[in-house]
Amino acid sequence: SSFQVVFSQSKVAYCFDFGGAFQKIAPGYLPVSRVYHSPNYLWIDNVTEVSRQECSDPLLRDFVSGKKGEIWVGLTKGDYLVTLFLYDHSENHGPFDIYLQDKKVKSGVVINKRELTKLELSAEVIDSTLRIKFIAGEGKTFCVNGMVISSDQNASLVKIFKDVPDVGLPSVEEVIQKGSPDAKNALKQICDWFISQ
């Protein structure tokens, strides 16, 4: 059974399912693997994707892990409730610390195998970016399966980097109308932007 989160005064704005790009996604969640998906949210560290096929819940089956990891979400200014889901069917993780907007909010978090940990954190977004960082102790790892962002205001995702190229691909009709686009050049543009950042 997937976890449905309900807050009394806040409404769920965005739900993210962290893990492998080819895993089943929890219903109602946006998939976020370690690979760049969107100019509105991304892992800025090279995290590891882990999958536990013996676990049937799509939210808990896969997760991202590593020594350190930081996820950025572009959001309109305001106050948010961030709920993190941390679970591994097979191994323990931690201790690790969690930073929110560059301030340490949780110390020494330990995830015991087959025990779901749900953490609720309050965040204020001023500069249009929600930043959550996980830093594990010496020789240890963090794990995080999913994140739900709630707000009592109308929240919108925004671009984290203003000059990022749009990720929208042209429709088939557009391609036929305008002739064949230069795929190599389009890819070079995006790659050049990544390298410059």
Side-chain angles (χ1 to χ4, degrees):
S1 67
S2 279
F3 292 86
Q4 295 301 318
V5 186
V6 182
F7 300 108
S8 51
Q9 71 282 36
S10 300
K11 55 179 183 280
V12 170
Y14 298 100
C15 303
F16 298 99
D17 184 348
F18 301 131
F22 303 106
Q23 298 300 321
K24 188 177 175 199
I25 304 304
Y29 282 70
L30 292 166
V32 188
S33 67
R34 64 189 174 87
V35 179
Y36 176 81
H37 277 273
S38 161
N40 303 324
Y41 50 87
L42 76 158
W43 284 97
I44 63 163
D45 289 301
N46 190 14
V47 291
T48 303
E49 295 167 0
V50 182
S51 162
R52 306 291 189 208
Q53 292 309 315
E54 60 277 23
C55 177
S56 61
D57 187 302
L59 184 61
L60 304 183
R61 179 186 297 149
D62 59 336
F63 54 90
V64 298
S65 184
K67 170 103 185 82
K68 72 181 186 84
E70 188 169 358
I71 178 118
W72 287 10
V73 181
L75 285 168
T76 43
K77 189 175 172 170
D79 295 315
Y80 294 91
L81 179 66
V82 177
T83 306
L84 299 173
F85 297 98
L86 310 111
Y87 178 87
D88 185 346
H89 195 76
S90 309
E91 287 174 27
N92 300 331
H93 293 269
F96 58 89
D97 298 336
I98 301 175
Y99 292 78
L100 191 58
Q101 305 303 60
D102 305 318
K103 290 185 186 78
K104 190 189 285 189
V105 290
K106 293 280 178 192
S107 292
V109 177
V110 173
I111 305 305
N112 296 311
K113 71 177 177 184
R114 295 197 187 152
E115 278 179 32
L116 173 66
T117 299
K118 192 174 101 174
L119 299 176
E120 291 188 350
L121 311 168
S122 297
E124 185 184 8
V125 173
I126 297 165
D127 56 3
S128 75
T129 306
L130 174 71
R131 294 178 303 282
I132 302 173
K133 191 184 331 185
F134 304 86
I135 299 180
E138 195 59 47
K140 303 295 180 187
T141 55
F142 77 92
C143 77
V144 59
N145 308 68
M147 175 169 73
V148 172
I149 298 171
S150 307
S151 177
D152 49 15
Q153 67 201 40
N154 286 328
S156 298
L157 288 174
V158 296
K159 280 185 180 183
I160 294 168
F161 305 105
K162 305 297 170 242
D163 60 342
V164 67
D166 286 320
V167 290
L169 293 171
S171 67
V172 175
E173 291 74 23
E174 274 181 279
V175 172
I176 291 167
Q177 239 175 14
K178 294 177 181 170
S180 68
D182 182 354
K184 236 183 197 164
N185 192 39
L187 193 59
K188 183 183 179 307
Q189 231 182 334
I190 289 172
C191 291
D192 286 351
W193 180 84
F194 264 130
I195 290 162
S196 74
Q197 301 299 314

